Amino acid sequence: DQQVKQNSPSLSVQEGRISILNCDYTNSMFDYFLWYKKYPAEGPTFLISISSIKDKNEDGRFTVFLNKSAKHLSLHIVPSQPGDSAVYFCAASEQAGGTSYGKLTFGQGTILTVHP
Amino acid sequence: GAGVSQSPSNKVTEKGKDVELRCDPISGHTALYWYRQSLGQGLEFLIYFQGNSAPDKSGLPSDRFSAERTGGSVSTLTIQRTQQEDSAVYLCASTYNVGQNIQYFGAGTRLSVL
Protein backbone atom coordinates (compact mmCIF):
# COMPACT_ATOMS: atom_id res chain seq x y z
CA ASP A 1 0.00 0.00 0.00
CA GLN A 2 1.17 3.47 -0.87
CA GLN A 3 1.48 5.32 2.45
CA VAL A 4 2.73 8.52 0.84
CA LYS A 5 1.13 9.70 -2.38
CA GLN A 6 1.91 12.47 -4.80
CA ASN A 7 -1.03 12.42 -7.14
CA SER A 8 0.35 14.87 -9.70
CA PRO A 9 3.07 13.25 -11.82
CA SER A 10 4.00 16.60 -13.32
CA LEU A 11 3.52 20.34 -12.94
CA SER A 12 4.37 23.13 -15.36
CA VAL A 13 4.73 26.72 -14.12
CA GLN A 14 5.83 30.03 -15.58
CA GLU A 15 8.93 31.65 -14.16
CA GLY A 16 8.10 34.06 -11.35
CA ARG A 17 4.79 32.36 -10.49
CA ILE A 18 4.04 30.10 -7.55
CA SER A 19 4.60 26.35 -7.72
CA ILE A 20 2.48 24.22 -5.41
CA LEU A 21 3.34 20.56 -4.99
CA ASN A 22 1.03 18.33 -2.99
CA CYS A 23 1.45 15.20 -0.94
CA ASP A 24 -0.98 13.00 1.00
CA TYR A 25 -0.22 10.33 3.57
CA THR A 26 -2.18 7.64 5.33
CA ASN A 27 0.01 6.52 8.25
CA SER A 28 -0.93 8.44 11.39
CA MET A 29 2.38 7.40 12.97
CA PHE A 30 4.31 9.68 10.63
CA ASP A 31 5.58 12.64 12.62
CA TYR A 32 8.21 14.22 10.38
CA PHE A 33 7.93 15.18 6.75
CA LEU A 34 10.56 16.13 4.21
CA TRP A 35 10.83 17.36 0.66
CA TYR A 36 13.69 16.26 -1.53
CA LYS A 37 14.67 17.59 -4.92
CA LYS A 38 16.30 15.39 -7.54
CA TYR A 39 18.08 16.31 -10.73
CA PRO A 40 18.76 13.65 -13.40
CA ALA A 41 21.75 11.40 -12.63
CA GLU A 42 22.06 12.85 -9.13
CA GLY A 43 20.89 11.66 -5.75
CA PRO A 44 17.98 13.34 -3.96
CA THR A 45 18.95 16.52 -2.13
CA PHE A 46 17.20 17.58 1.06
CA LEU A 47 15.18 20.76 0.57
CA ILE A 48 12.97 21.48 3.57
CA SER A 49 11.21 19.62 6.35
CA ILE A 50 8.50 20.01 8.95
CA SER A 51 7.72 18.36 12.25
CA SER A 52 4.17 17.30 13.04
CA ILE A 53 4.05 19.81 15.90
CA LYS A 54 4.13 22.64 13.36
CA ASP A 55 1.86 23.59 10.51
CA LYS A 56 4.28 25.74 8.53
CA ASN A 57 8.00 25.99 7.91
CA GLU A 58 9.61 28.56 5.68
CA ASP A 59 13.09 28.74 4.18
CA GLY A 60 13.64 31.48 1.64
CA ARG A 61 11.49 30.84 -1.42
CA PHE A 62 10.33 27.47 -0.05
CA THR A 63 7.47 26.96 2.39
CA VAL A 64 6.01 23.67 3.54
CA PHE A 65 2.50 23.51 4.98
CA LEU A 66 1.19 20.59 7.02
CA ASN A 67 -2.48 19.83 7.64
CA LYS A 68 -2.47 16.91 10.07
CA SER A 69 -6.22 16.46 10.18
CA ALA A 70 -6.31 16.07 6.41
CA LYS A 71 -3.02 14.15 6.33
CA HIS A 72 -1.84 16.51 3.65
CA LEU A 73 1.24 18.59 3.07
CA SER A 74 2.27 20.96 0.34
CA LEU A 75 5.41 22.67 -0.86
CA HIS A 76 5.16 26.23 -2.14
CA ILE A 77 7.94 27.75 -4.23
CA VAL A 78 7.68 31.50 -4.71
CA PRO A 79 8.87 32.86 -7.07
CA SER A 80 9.61 29.84 -9.21
CA GLN A 81 12.85 29.84 -11.20
CA PRO A 82 13.96 27.71 -14.18
CA GLY A 83 16.66 26.17 -11.97
CA ASP A 84 13.89 24.75 -9.78
CA SER A 85 12.98 22.34 -12.59
CA ALA A 86 13.54 18.89 -11.10
CA VAL A 87 11.69 15.94 -9.58
CA TYR A 88 10.34 16.68 -6.11
CA PHE A 89 9.78 13.85 -3.65
CA CYS A 90 7.73 14.03 -0.50
CA ALA A 91 8.93 11.73 2.29
CA ALA A 92 7.81 10.86 5.80
CA SER A 93 9.34 9.24 8.83
CA GLU A 94 7.83 7.58 11.84
CA GLN A 95 8.46 8.30 15.47
CA ALA A 96 10.58 5.95 17.53
CA GLY A 97 8.80 2.73 18.40
CA GLY A 98 6.90 2.58 15.15
CA THR A 99 7.27 -0.37 12.81
CA SER A 100 8.72 1.87 10.12
CA TYR A 101 11.13 3.69 12.42
CA GLY A 102 14.50 4.37 10.87
CA LYS A 103 13.45 4.68 7.25
CA LEU A 104 11.90 7.26 5.00
CA THR A 105 8.75 6.46 3.05
CA PHE A 106 8.65 8.31 -0.24
CA GLY A 107 5.97 9.43 -2.65
CA GLN A 108 6.28 8.74 -6.37
CA GLY A 109 7.57 12.21 -7.14
CA THR A 110 6.33 15.21 -9.14
CA ILE A 111 8.25 16.52 -12.13
CA LEU A 112 8.30 20.32 -11.92
CA THR A 113 9.09 22.29 -15.05
CA VAL A 114 9.53 26.04 -14.73
CA HIS A 115 9.37 27.82 -18.08
CA PRO A 116 11.34 31.05 -18.65
CA GLY B 1 34.98 12.29 1.24
CA ALA B 2 32.51 15.09 1.73
CA GLY B 3 29.41 13.21 0.62
CA VAL B 4 28.00 9.72 0.18
CA SER B 5 29.94 7.89 -2.49
CA GLN B 6 28.52 5.01 -4.53
CA SER B 7 30.21 2.76 -7.05
CA PRO B 8 29.91 1.86 -9.79
CA SER B 9 27.75 4.69 -11.14
CA ASN B 10 26.46 2.39 -13.86
CA LYS B 11 26.37 -1.38 -14.09
CA VAL B 12 25.15 -3.47 -16.99
CA THR B 13 24.87 -7.18 -16.38
CA GLU B 14 23.35 -10.26 -17.88
CA LYS B 15 20.39 -11.98 -16.36
CA GLY B 16 21.50 -14.62 -13.87
CA LYS B 17 24.78 -12.95 -12.92
CA ASP B 18 25.58 -11.65 -9.44
CA VAL B 19 26.32 -7.97 -8.82
CA GLU B 20 27.82 -6.02 -5.94
CA LEU B 21 27.05 -2.38 -5.30
CA ARG B 22 29.15 -0.34 -2.93
CA CYS B 23 28.33 2.59 -0.66
CA ASP B 24 30.77 4.73 1.31
CA PRO B 25 28.81 6.94 3.74
CA ILE B 26 29.68 10.37 5.04
CA SER B 27 32.52 10.12 7.53
CA GLY B 28 31.20 9.77 11.07
CA HIS B 29 27.71 8.68 10.01
CA THR B 30 26.76 5.50 11.83
CA ALA B 31 23.43 4.89 10.08
CA LEU B 32 23.35 3.77 6.45
CA TYR B 33 20.30 3.15 4.26
CA TRP B 34 19.70 1.44 0.91
CA TYR B 35 16.80 2.38 -1.36
CA ARG B 36 15.98 1.65 -4.95
CA GLN B 37 14.09 3.65 -7.51
CA SER B 38 12.48 1.79 -10.37
CA LEU B 39 11.51 3.68 -13.51
CA GLY B 40 8.75 6.19 -12.79
CA GLN B 41 8.49 5.18 -9.15
CA GLY B 42 9.40 6.69 -5.84
CA LEU B 43 12.21 5.48 -3.65
CA GLU B 44 11.61 2.06 -2.12
CA PHE B 45 13.30 1.25 1.19
CA LEU B 46 15.46 -1.88 1.17
CA ILE B 47 17.50 -2.07 4.37
CA TYR B 48 19.24 0.07 6.95
CA PHE B 49 22.25 -0.39 9.20
CA GLN B 50 23.01 1.11 12.56
CA GLY B 51 26.72 0.46 12.92
CA ASN B 52 27.27 -3.05 11.57
CA SER B 53 23.87 -4.44 12.50
CA ALA B 54 20.77 -4.36 10.32
CA PRO B 55 17.68 -4.08 12.54
CA ASP B 56 15.30 -3.83 9.61
CA LYS B 57 15.69 -6.03 6.54
CA SER B 58 11.99 -5.94 5.74
CA GLY B 59 12.41 -4.07 2.49
CA LEU B 60 14.65 -6.59 0.76
CA PRO B 61 12.44 -7.85 -2.10
CA SER B 62 13.71 -11.44 -2.14
CA ASP B 63 16.38 -13.71 -0.70
CA ARG B 64 18.53 -12.94 -3.73
CA PHE B 65 19.22 -9.58 -2.10
CA SER B 66 21.64 -9.22 0.79
CA ALA B 67 23.69 -6.45 2.31
CA GLU B 68 26.50 -6.22 4.73
CA ARG B 69 28.45 -3.54 6.48
CA THR B 70 31.73 -4.24 8.15
CA GLY B 71 33.79 -1.81 10.18
CA GLY B 72 30.80 0.48 10.56
CA SER B 73 31.56 2.26 7.34
CA VAL B 74 31.38 0.87 3.80
CA SER B 75 28.37 -1.23 2.84
CA THR B 76 27.88 -3.68 0.00
CA LEU B 77 24.53 -4.60 -1.50
CA THR B 78 24.66 -7.92 -3.34
CA ILE B 79 22.07 -9.16 -5.79
CA GLN B 80 22.42 -12.80 -6.77
CA ARG B 81 21.07 -14.32 -9.98
CA THR B 82 19.89 -10.94 -11.25
CA GLN B 83 16.54 -10.65 -13.00
CA GLN B 84 15.33 -8.00 -15.41
CA GLU B 85 12.97 -6.61 -12.76
CA ASP B 86 16.03 -5.79 -10.63
CA SER B 87 16.88 -3.02 -13.10
CA ALA B 88 16.66 0.24 -11.14
CA VAL B 89 18.73 2.99 -9.57
CA TYR B 90 20.07 1.84 -6.21
CA LEU B 91 20.55 4.72 -3.80
CA CYS B 92 22.45 4.82 -0.55
CA ALA B 93 21.99 7.39 2.20
CA SER B 94 23.54 8.05 5.58
CA THR B 95 22.85 9.94 8.78
CA TYR B 96 24.81 10.56 11.94
CA ASN B 97 22.49 8.22 13.81
CA VAL B 98 19.26 6.33 13.21
CA GLY B 99 16.40 8.60 14.14
CA GLN B 100 17.93 11.63 12.50
CA ASN B 101 15.34 12.32 9.88
CA ILE B 102 17.36 14.11 7.22
CA GLN B 103 19.16 11.51 5.15
CA TYR B 104 21.97 12.42 2.78
CA PHE B 105 22.02 10.53 -0.49
CA GLY B 106 24.65 9.41 -2.93
CA ALA B 107 24.21 9.72 -6.69
CA GLY B 108 23.19 6.08 -6.98
CA THR B 109 24.13 3.08 -9.09
CA ARG B 110 22.07 2.55 -12.22
CA LEU B 111 21.72 -1.20 -12.69
CA SER B 112 20.59 -2.58 -16.02
CA VAL B 113 19.92 -6.31 -16.30
CA LEU B 114 19.78 -7.49 -19.89
Side-chain angles (χ1 to χ4, degrees), chain B residues 47-58:
Chain B
I47 188 171
Y48 84 82
F49 290 88
Q50 175 61 51
N52 290 338
S53 65
D56 187 351
K57 301 181 182 180
S58 63

Side-chain angles (χ1 to χ4, degrees), chain B residues 25-44:
Chain B
I26 293 171
S27 178
H29 281 192
T30 63
L32 185 149
Y33 310 80
W34 284 99
Y35 296 85
R36 75 173 176 182
Q37 184 184 14
S38 302
L39 190 63
Q41 302 296 313
L43 280 71
E44 173 193 10

